[in-house]
Amino acid sequence: MGKRSRVARGVAVTALAVAGTMSVTAPPATAADPPATGVPAPHKAFGRLGTLTDLVVERLRVSDDVAAAKFGTGSPIDDPTREQQVLDQVRQQAGALGLDPEQAAAFFEDQITASKQVQRGLFARWTAHPGEAPTTRPDLGEIRTRLDRLTTDLLGQLKSTVDVRAKRTACTVQLAVATGSAVVLGRLDALHREALDTAVQSVCA
């Protein structure tokens, strides 16, 4: 985790503790904890970027299903053709929403990178510990339908949070609160925490 991420996470945790808004006592997850599942966490991240962060986390959880669908099949984690299709779709939808297409594409490039980060981490874990490997194989077609829905929802949140994201300091604080609460409430393990850091790098552009 980079220095900026550690500082932001510390700001979030301190702010939440002082405000007394955290009503859970969940211990932070460790690398040895079970991976997050594809089921969205029932908790909601805090702050003006909370909904955007919830969607980012949901997309990361879907990455678990992508990994389960590919593991042991020889299917590569990298899929340049599919990735380009997603980015082309993002640019088109972003333009229609009045968002900067390249800024939106940069945000989704981070989502793709974070997803592959989760997939590689899970592949390594399952290879080292076969007993933890998934016993069912999700359907990639259904997964892609979910990802397409998340793309639309994420773009909607990028649109609705333009004002706060345009103000660097305010955005940094709000993002720290959102990601800090998402980590604790969602009990994200080390792999998914690191992927979340990757996924939100372009939020405060």
Side-chain angles (χ1 to χ4, degrees):
M1 185 186 301
K3 180 178 180 182
R4 180 182 298 177
S5 297
R6 290 196 300 270
V7 171
R9 188 66 43 73
V11 170
V13 173
T14 300
L16 292 169
V18 171
T21 54
M22 294 195 69
S23 59
V24 297
T25 58
T30 68
D33 290 338
T37 66
V39 179
H43 307 291
K44 300 297 182 183
F46 301 154
R48 295 180 63 188
L49 296 176
T51 302
L52 176 63
T53 301
D54 283 335
L55 290 170
V56 169
V57 171
E58 183 179 350
R59 197 181 193 283
L60 290 176
R61 293 180 185 276
V62 174
S63 300
D64 291 13
D65 286 343
V66 176
K70 292 181 178 180
F71 186 70
T73 67
S75 298
I77 290 174
D78 291 283
D79 188 349
T81 300
R82 169 65 177 170
E83 292 167 18
Q84 190 58 55
Q85 289 173 347
V86 170
L87 294 177
D88 288 344
Q89 174 189 355
V90 163
R91 290 186 176 94
Q92 183 177 11
Q93 289 184 251
L97 289 171
L99 293 167
D100 183 295
E102 294 310 314
Q103 288 183 359
F107 172 80
F108 275 90
E109 284 177 354
D110 289 343
Q111 307 315 300
I112 291 170
T113 299
S115 175
K116 292 191 288 189
Q117 191 173 340
V118 169
Q119 292 176 58
R120 290 192 180 97
L122 291 177
F123 270 37
R125 181 182 300 175
W126 296 336
T127 299
H129 305 283
E132 297 180 11
T135 56
T136 59
R137 195 176 306 284
D139 181 79
L140 267 177
E142 294 179 0
I143 292 171
R144 286 176 175 175
T145 298
R146 291 162 62 194
L147 289 173
D148 287 342
R149 175 185 60 79
L150 282 168
T151 294
T152 299
D153 291 347
L154 282 163
L155 283 167
Q157 279 301 306
L158 289 180
K159 174 67 175 179
S160 66
T161 58
V162 165
D163 289 346
V164 65
R165 291 187 302 104
K167 300 173 182 177
R168 186 74 182 185
T169 300
C171 181
T172 300
V173 171
Q174 289 294 324
L175 185 60
V177 169
T179 56
S181 59
V183 164
V184 176
L185 295 172
R187 295 175 177 265
L188 299 189
D189 64 9
L191 174 62
H192 291 77
R193 289 198 299 266
E194 291 169 4
L196 178 58
D197 285 337
T198 298
V200 298
Q201 287 184 116
S202 299
V203 169
C204 298

